[in-house]
Amino acid sequence: MAISPVLDIQLPRVPTLFRCPISLELMKDPVTLSTGLTYDRSSIEKWFDDGHHTCPGTMQLVKVRDLVPNHTLRRLIQEWCVANKSRGIERIPTPKQPLDDEQASHLVRQISSAELSGRAKSRLLRNLRASCKESEKNRKCIAGAGAIPALSSLVSSFQPRISFDRPSNLEDLQCCEDAVAVLVILLPLEIESLRKSIINPSLLAVLSWILHRRNTEGQINAARLLELVATDDESKSMVGATERLIPGLVKLVKEDSAYPRAVRASLTALLAIVSCRKNLVKAVQGGVVPPLIELLSEASRLNTERALAVLEFVARCAEGREALMDHSLSVPMLVKIILTVSDLASERAVGILLLMCQADDSVVQAAASEGAFTQMILLIQADNTSETNHRARQFLKLLRGAVPRECMHDFAFTMPF
């Protein structure tokens, strides 16, 4: 008999009839196959999705996958849950019926309808998003009905009506944000070719517009969609060429540093964009360096690693190195990160410092004055990757001429050269 870690009481044993034969857990949405056996919907759908064509209990071939809801059994399970509420059992909710192909197609046709107002489409899109969240089957059904191209066309259609220079039409903005939110849910299901097919200048212009609005959730979804569609150099170049798009992502880092989800979405999108060499100078011109340097003092481990990854790409161009050297906190923050955040953060911080030092001797002296020499010795002695060691040894060779003789003497027996 199980014990609840929260209530510290013994939970009642779940009757065998109420357990799914596949998961052995309490069924939340029991459905019956043509063979007469009942399973939890999520378990049997996964069984079929894995390529099986039989009933797992009888191994009989199931030609029609119509899953018939077992309402009687579900009500019995709910009554049992209510009867055992005082013993820590929560009542299972009454499940909604999954969408069928006809319902999904009708919803997609409505999305494309010119007769519906923006407000009506927003309501429809919120319902569509709720259906997507209910089950994997719903998501596949909606995507299979052509929702992704329809949603992309809907977002793109707003481009002629948007402007950075006048107040937003709130109805248009809400409709765009709702459509983008559904696309973010559906796109991971699709192959890369379909993701690429929806990207166009009009859609990117609308995403840039959303990034400059004040709705954090909408900004997060716009950044996440950019990450999903920026999959090759061609699409990344298109993203980089979109007016005010990179500054919009930078704005999300600067203004929403208190929201880790917003920072994460922005950094992940920026990382996808700057991995294309054509976008490096555009990122620097978009002001990416200062907020990322300032973010390093307060970000989580994962966001610190992402910010450093973006900065390491940026440091590969002369304009990026110059922007890093112009910021008074660059060298102190990068040296401070070494050995204090993670192995990956240390590797990236050393890589950025190395690129800066190789470009300008003054950075060597600045790094030495911040204690980089000692950090490199400790880093090499630590159990790190060969790449980190390689970078640290290169950096140490540059630092030797900038370190006082007495410091060199202190490390005489541990010097790796």
Side-chain angles (χ1 to χ4, degrees):
M1 190 173 294
I3 297 179
S4 167
V6 177
L7 301 175
D8 196 26
I9 60 174
Q10 289 187 327
L11 297 177
R13 187 180 299 278
V14 178
T16 303
L17 180 64
F18 297 168
R19 291 179 182 270
C20 173
I22 297 174
S23 69
L24 302 181
E25 299 292 333
L26 180 70
M27 288 188 279
K28 297 178 180 178
D29 186 8
V31 292
T32 303
L33 296 183
S34 58
T35 59
L37 295 186
T38 299
Y39 303 90
D40 202 10
R41 183 184 295 276
S42 60
S43 297
I44 193 62
E45 284 182 348
K46 185 178 185 306
W47 169 265
F48 288 136
D49 288 343
D50 288 342
H52 300 288
H53 303 283
T54 58
C55 168
T58 65
M59 299 311 293
Q60 290 178 265
L61 187 66
V62 181
K63 295 182 179 179
V64 181
R65 292 185 184 175
D66 288 335
L67 306 178
V68 180
N70 192 326
H71 298 298
T72 301
L73 180 57
R74 191 249 307 153
R75 283 192 288 268
L76 288 173
I77 293 174
Q78 288 176 323
E79 290 172 3
W80 178 83
C81 291
V82 171
N84 288 278
K85 181 180 179 181
S86 61
R87 301 175 67 186
I89 299 296
E90 294 185 7
R91 181 183 183 275
I92 63 168
T94 300
K96 295 181 180 180
Q97 285 295 99
L99 293 176
D100 57 32
D101 292 343
E102 184 177 343
Q103 291 171 320
S105 296
H106 177 67
L107 287 171
V108 172
R109 285 196 298 272
Q110 285 185 298
I111 291 171
S112 306
S113 171
E115 298 176 2
L116 289 181
S117 66
R119 187 171 299 176
K121 284 191 177 181
S122 279
R123 285 197 297 270
L124 171 66
L125 288 164
R126 285 194 288 272
N127 291 335
L128 194 65
R129 186 182 184 189
S131 295
C132 287
K133 288 184 172 182
E134 283 171 10
S135 69
E136 181 78 6
K137 182 177 181 180
N138 278 0
R139 291 192 287 277
K140 290 181 177 179
C141 189
I142 291 167
I148 291 175
L151 289 165
S152 173
S153 296
L154 175 62
V155 174
S156 301
S157 70
F158 285 97
Q159 192 271 333
R161 310 206 308 253
I162 65 176
S163 173
F164 289 100
D165 302 321
R166 63 173 183 265
S168 308
N169 180 315
L170 295 181
E171 191 173 291
D172 286 353
L173 178 60
Q174 187 62 60
C175 192
C176 286
E177 290 179 345
D178 289 333
V180 169
V182 181
L183 276 171
V184 168
I185 295 174
L186 294 179
L187 269 183
L189 298 174
E190 298 301 328
I191 57 175
E192 185 174 314
S193 60
L194 181 54
R195 297 188 198 183
K196 286 173 58 179
S197 70
I198 74 166
I199 191 171
N200 62 74
S202 295
L203 180 137
L204 293 176
V206 174
L207 294 182
S208 179
W209 180 63
I210 292 173
L211 284 169
H212 286 273
R213 301 307 99 192
R214 290 285 181 177
N215 182 354
T216 303
E217 196 62 34
Q219 292 171 312
I220 289 171
N221 283 324
R224 292 176 63 193
L225 186 57
L226 285 170
E227 177 204 349
L228 289 169
V229 299
T231 55
D232 62 3
D233 280 351
E234 182 182 355
S235 56
K236 291 174 185 180
S237 295
M238 196 184 300
V239 170
T242 303
E243 182 185 7
R244 299 178 68 172
L245 195 151
I246 290 177
L249 291 171
V250 172
K251 177 175 178 286
L252 190 55
V253 173
K254 287 195 295 187
E255 294 192 359
D256 295 305
S257 58
Y259 301 95
R261 285 180 59 241
V263 175
R264 180 173 68 245
S266 178
L267 291 175
T268 306
L270 282 168
L271 186 55
I273 294 168
V274 300
S275 63
C276 173
R277 192 168 185 84
K278 292 181 181 179
N279 290 331
L280 293 180
V281 175
K282 293 174 182 175
V284 176
Q285 294 170 341
V288 73
V289 171
L292 294 193
I293 290 295
E294 290 150 23
L295 180 70
L296 296 177
S297 63
E298 58 186 22
S300 65
R301 177 182 64 82
L302 289 176
N303 279 346
T304 296
E305 291 172 351
R306 292 185 181 101
L308 289 168
V310 175
L311 290 172
E312 190 172 7
F313 272 111
V314 169
R316 294 176 184 176
C317 70
E319 293 83 354
R321 291 189 293 272
E322 184 177 348
L324 283 162
M325 289 184 282
D326 285 345
H327 199 296
S328 61
L329 292 178
S330 290
V331 173
M333 285 306 309
L334 290 168
V335 173
K336 183 180 177 181
I337 281 170
I338 298 167
L339 292 171
T340 62
V341 177
S342 69
D343 289 347
L344 182 57
S346 295
E347 179 182 319
R348 287 175 174 167
V350 174
I352 297 166
L353 285 166
L354 188 57
L355 287 168
M356 293 169 66
C357 288
Q358 289 170 338
D360 192 322
D361 291 340
S362 66
V363 181
V364 178
Q365 186 63 53
S369 66
E370 294 294 335
F373 182 83
T374 303
Q375 292 290 74
M376 291 306 100
I377 293 292
L378 295 174
L379 187 60
I380 291 170
Q381 291 175 340
D383 182 18
N384 289 297
T385 65
S386 57
E387 178 60 28
T388 303
N389 266 277
H390 176 68
R391 292 182 179 188
R393 289 172 188 275
Q394 282 185 294
F395 193 17
L396 203 54
K397 290 177 182 178
L398 295 176
L399 288 168
R400 279 187 297 181
V403 176
R405 186 176 299 275
E406 56 270 23
C407 292
M408 297 283 287
H409 182 269
D410 290 342
F411 287 100
F413 296 102
T414 57
M415 295 283 279
F417 42 73

PDB file of all heavy atoms in Angstrom, residues 24-41:
ATOM      1  N   LEU A  24      -0.482   0.254 -15.872  1.00  0.00           N
ATOM      2  CA  LEU A  24      -0.781  -0.229 -14.509  1.00  0.00           C
ATOM      3  C   LEU A  24      -1.137   0.924 -13.560  1.00  0.00           C
ATOM      4  O   LEU A  24      -1.152   0.752 -12.345  1.00  0.00           O
ATOM      5  CB  LEU A  24       0.394  -1.038 -13.932  1.00  0.00           C
ATOM      6  CG  LEU A  24       0.818  -2.265 -14.746  1.00  0.00           C
ATOM      7  CD1 LEU A  24       1.970  -2.995 -14.064  1.00  0.00           C
ATOM      8  CD2 LEU A  24      -0.367  -3.200 -14.952  1.00  0.00           C
ATOM      9  N   GLU A  25      -1.427   2.113 -14.131  1.00  0.00           N
ATOM     10  CA  GLU A  25      -1.842   3.264 -13.341  1.00  0.00           C
ATOM     11  C   GLU A  25      -3.360   3.420 -13.414  1.00  0.00           C
ATOM     12  O   GLU A  25      -4.029   2.857 -14.289  1.00  0.00           O
ATOM     13  CB  GLU A  25      -1.170   4.529 -13.875  1.00  0.00           C
ATOM     14  CG  GLU A  25       0.354   4.521 -13.828  1.00  0.00           C
ATOM     15  CD  GLU A  25       0.888   4.563 -12.407  1.00  0.00           C
ATOM     16  OE1 GLU A  25       0.168   5.094 -11.533  1.00  0.00           O
ATOM     17  OE2 GLU A  25       2.005   4.067 -12.174  1.00  0.00           O
ATOM     18  N   LEU A  26      -3.905   4.212 -12.485  1.00  0.00           N
ATOM     19  CA  LEU A  26      -5.330   4.498 -12.487  1.00  0.00           C
ATOM     20  C   LEU A  26      -5.721   5.150 -13.809  1.00  0.00           C
ATOM     21  O   LEU A  26      -5.089   6.113 -14.237  1.00  0.00           O
ATOM     22  CB  LEU A  26      -5.668   5.435 -11.322  1.00  0.00           C
ATOM     23  CG  LEU A  26      -7.136   5.839 -11.162  1.00  0.00           C
ATOM     24  CD1 LEU A  26      -7.960   4.647 -10.697  1.00  0.00           C
ATOM     25  CD2 LEU A  26      -7.274   7.006 -10.198  1.00  0.00           C
ATOM     26  N   MET A  27      -6.734   4.613 -14.470  1.00  0.00           N
ATOM     27  CA  MET A  27      -7.147   5.154 -15.767  1.00  0.00           C
ATOM     28  C   MET A  27      -7.884   6.480 -15.582  1.00  0.00           C
ATOM     29  O   MET A  27      -8.728   6.611 -14.700  1.00  0.00           O
ATOM     30  CB  MET A  27      -8.039   4.153 -16.506  1.00  0.00           C
ATOM     31  CG  MET A  27      -7.283   2.948 -17.041  1.00  0.00           C
ATOM     32  SD  MET A  27      -8.265   1.884 -18.115  1.00  0.00           S
ATOM     33  CE  MET A  27      -9.172   0.931 -16.882  1.00  0.00           C
ATOM     34  N   LYS A  28      -7.535   7.439 -16.412  1.00  0.00           N
ATOM     35  CA  LYS A  28      -8.179   8.751 -16.377  1.00  0.00           C
ATOM     36  C   LYS A  28      -9.184   8.921 -17.510  1.00  0.00           C
ATOM     37  O   LYS A  28     -10.097   9.726 -17.414  1.00  0.00           O
ATOM     38  CB  LYS A  28      -7.131   9.853 -16.442  1.00  0.00           C
ATOM     39  CG  LYS A  28      -6.175   9.848 -15.251  1.00  0.00           C
ATOM     40  CD  LYS A  28      -5.120  10.932 -15.375  1.00  0.00           C
ATOM     41  CE  LYS A  28      -4.185  10.909 -14.170  1.00  0.00           C
ATOM     42  NZ  LYS A  28      -3.108  11.936 -14.282  1.00  0.00           N
ATOM     43  N   ASP A  29      -8.968   8.189 -18.591  1.00  0.00           N
ATOM     44  CA  ASP A  29      -9.859   8.279 -19.752  1.00  0.00           C
ATOM     45  C   ASP A  29      -9.958   6.888 -20.375  1.00  0.00           C
ATOM     46  O   ASP A  29      -9.379   6.617 -21.427  1.00  0.00           O
ATOM     47  CB  ASP A  29      -9.292   9.288 -20.753  1.00  0.00           C
ATOM     48  CG  ASP A  29     -10.235   9.545 -21.927  1.00  0.00           C
ATOM     49  OD1 ASP A  29     -11.377   9.052 -21.881  1.00  0.00           O
ATOM     50  OD2 ASP A  29      -9.817  10.222 -22.892  1.00  0.00           O
ATOM     51  N   PRO A  30     -10.701   5.968 -19.737  1.00  0.00           N
ATOM     52  CA  PRO A  30     -10.781   4.590 -20.237  1.00  0.00           C
ATOM     53  C   PRO A  30     -11.507   4.501 -21.573  1.00  0.00           C
ATOM     54  O   PRO A  30     -12.571   5.109 -21.759  1.00  0.00           O
ATOM     55  CB  PRO A  30     -11.546   3.861 -19.140  1.00  0.00           C
ATOM     56  CG  PRO A  30     -12.315   4.916 -18.419  1.00  0.00           C
ATOM     57  CD  PRO A  30     -11.490   6.161 -18.507  1.00  0.00           C
ATOM     58  N   VAL A  31     -10.903   3.772 -22.521  1.00  0.00           N
ATOM     59  CA  VAL A  31     -11.521   3.544 -23.829  1.00  0.00           C
ATOM     60  C   VAL A  31     -11.440   2.049 -24.144  1.00  0.00           C
ATOM     61  O   VAL A  31     -10.502   1.364 -23.736  1.00  0.00           O
ATOM     62  CB  VAL A  31     -10.819   4.353 -24.943  1.00  0.00           C
ATOM     63  CG1 VAL A  31     -11.067   5.850 -24.765  1.00  0.00           C
ATOM     64  CG2 VAL A  31      -9.328   4.079 -24.976  1.00  0.00           C
ATOM     65  N   THR A  32     -12.426   1.568 -24.881  1.00  0.00           N
ATOM     66  CA  THR A  32     -12.520   0.138 -25.177  1.00  0.00           C
ATOM     67  C   THR A  32     -12.278  -0.124 -26.656  1.00  0.00           C
ATOM     68  O   THR A  32     -12.816   0.585 -27.518  1.00  0.00           O
ATOM     69  CB  THR A  32     -13.904  -0.406 -24.770  1.00  0.00           C
ATOM     70  OG1 THR A  32     -14.111  -0.143 -23.380  1.00  0.00           O
ATOM     71  CG2 THR A  32     -13.994  -1.906 -25.014  1.00  0.00           C
ATOM     72  N   LEU A  33     -11.459  -1.154 -26.944  1.00  0.00           N
ATOM     73  CA  LEU A  33     -11.191  -1.561 -28.323  1.00  0.00           C
ATOM     74  C   LEU A  33     -12.262  -2.536 -28.803  1.00  0.00           C
ATOM     75  O   LEU A  33     -13.080  -3.030 -28.017  1.00  0.00           O
ATOM     76  CB  LEU A  33      -9.821  -2.223 -28.420  1.00  0.00           C
ATOM     77  CG  LEU A  33      -8.590  -1.381 -28.100  1.00  0.00           C
ATOM     78  CD1 LEU A  33      -7.345  -2.205 -28.339  1.00  0.00           C
ATOM     79  CD2 LEU A  33      -8.558  -0.126 -28.941  1.00  0.00           C
ATOM     80  N   SER A  34     -12.222  -2.865 -30.074  1.00  0.00           N
ATOM     81  CA  SER A  34     -13.171  -3.825 -30.642  1.00  0.00           C
ATOM     82  C   SER A  34     -12.989  -5.213 -30.053  1.00  0.00           C
ATOM     83  O   SER A  34     -13.885  -6.059 -30.139  1.00  0.00           O
ATOM     84  CB  SER A  34     -13.004  -3.880 -32.160  1.00  0.00           C
ATOM     85  OG  SER A  34     -11.667  -4.250 -32.505  1.00  0.00           O
ATOM     86  N   THR A  35     -11.851  -5.483 -29.435  1.00  0.00           N
ATOM     87  CA  THR A  35     -11.606  -6.776 -28.789  1.00  0.00           C
ATOM     88  C   THR A  35     -12.288  -6.882 -27.435  1.00  0.00           C
ATOM     89  O   THR A  35     -12.284  -7.944 -26.817  1.00  0.00           O
ATOM     90  CB  THR A  35     -10.099  -6.986 -28.583  1.00  0.00           C
ATOM     91  OG1 THR A  35      -9.592  -5.913 -27.780  1.00  0.00           O
ATOM     92  CG2 THR A  35      -9.364  -7.025 -29.897  1.00  0.00           C
ATOM     93  N   GLY A  36     -12.842  -5.772 -26.942  1.00  0.00           N
ATOM     94  CA  GLY A  36     -13.532  -5.783 -25.661  1.00  0.00           C
ATOM     95  C   GLY A  36     -12.673  -5.373 -24.484  1.00  0.00           C
ATOM     96  O   GLY A  36     -13.181  -5.195 -23.379  1.00  0.00           O
ATOM     97  N   LEU A  37     -11.366  -5.204 -24.702  1.00  0.00           N
ATOM     98  CA  LEU A  37     -10.481  -4.801 -23.605  1.00  0.00           C
ATOM     99  C   LEU A  37     -10.409  -3.276 -23.500  1.00  0.00           C
ATOM    100  O   LEU A  37     -10.503  -2.578 -24.507  1.00  0.00           O
ATOM    101  CB  LEU A  37      -9.088  -5.378 -23.810  1.00  0.00           C
ATOM    102  CG  LEU A  37      -8.980  -6.910 -23.756  1.00  0.00           C
ATOM    103  CD1 LEU A  37      -7.522  -7.337 -23.819  1.00  0.00           C
ATOM    104  CD2 LEU A  37      -9.631  -7.476 -22.495  1.00  0.00           C
ATOM    105  N   THR A  38     -10.239  -2.819 -22.273  1.00  0.00           N
ATOM    106  CA  THR A  38     -10.239  -1.378 -21.999  1.00  0.00           C
ATOM    107  C   THR A  38      -8.852  -0.925 -21.553  1.00  0.00           C
ATOM    108  O   THR A  38      -8.193  -1.602 -20.755  1.00  0.00           O
ATOM    109  CB  THR A  38     -11.277  -1.044 -20.914  1.00  0.00           C
ATOM    110  OG1 THR A  38     -12.587  -1.412 -21.380  1.00  0.00           O
ATOM    111  CG2 THR A  38     -11.269   0.445 -20.579  1.00  0.00           C
ATOM    112  N   TYR A  39      -8.446   0.235 -22.058  1.00  0.00           N
ATOM    113  CA  TYR A  39      -7.139   0.817 -21.729  1.00  0.00           C
ATOM    114  C   TYR A  39      -7.324   2.314 -21.469  1.00  0.00           C
ATOM    115  O   TYR A  39      -8.323   2.912 -21.878  1.00  0.00           O
ATOM    116  CB  TYR A  39      -6.159   0.630 -22.897  1.00  0.00           C
ATOM    117  CG  TYR A  39      -5.953  -0.796 -23.308  1.00  0.00           C
ATOM    118  CD1 TYR A  39      -6.775  -1.381 -24.284  1.00  0.00           C
ATOM    119  CD2 TYR A  39      -4.955  -1.581 -22.730  1.00  0.00           C
ATOM    120  CE1 TYR A  39      -6.592  -2.707 -24.671  1.00  0.00           C
ATOM    121  CE2 TYR A  39      -4.764  -2.904 -23.114  1.00  0.00           C
ATOM    122  CZ  TYR A  39      -5.584  -3.463 -24.078  1.00  0.00           C
ATOM    123  OH  TYR A  39      -5.401  -4.767 -24.447  1.00  0.00           O
ATOM    124  N   ASP A  40      -6.321   2.912 -20.828  1.00  0.00           N
ATOM    125  CA  ASP A  40      -6.317   4.367 -20.709  1.00  0.00           C
ATOM    126  C   ASP A  40      -5.974   4.944 -22.083  1.00  0.00           C
ATOM    127  O   ASP A  40      -5.092   4.421 -22.781  1.00  0.00           O
ATOM    128  CB  ASP A  40      -5.276   4.806 -19.677  1.00  0.00           C
ATOM    129  CG  ASP A  40      -5.581   6.189 -19.120  1.00  0.00           C
ATOM    130  OD1 ASP A  40      -6.676   6.708 -19.395  1.00  0.00           O
ATOM    131  OD2 ASP A  40      -4.723   6.747 -18.413  1.00  0.00           O
ATOM    132  N   ARG A  41      -6.676   5.984 -22.493  1.00  0.00           N
ATOM    133  CA  ARG A  41      -6.530   6.509 -23.846  1.00  0.00           C
ATOM    134  C   ARG A  41      -5.069   6.855 -24.177  1.00  0.00           C
ATOM    135  O   ARG A  41      -4.561   6.498 -25.234  1.00  0.00           O
ATOM    136  CB  ARG A  41      -7.400   7.757 -24.044  1.00  0.00           C
ATOM    137  CG  ARG A  41      -7.341   8.302 -25.471  1.00  0.00           C
ATOM    138  CD  ARG A  41      -8.126   9.585 -25.610  1.00  0.00           C
ATOM    139  NE  ARG A  41      -9.535   9.390 -25.396  1.00  0.00           N
ATOM    140  CZ  ARG A  41     -10.400   8.978 -26.329  1.00  0.00           C
ATOM    141  NH1 ARG A  41      -9.959   8.696 -27.551  1.00  0.00           N
ATOM    142  NH2 ARG A  41     -11.681   8.838 -26.053  1.00  0.00           N
TER     143      ARG A  41
END
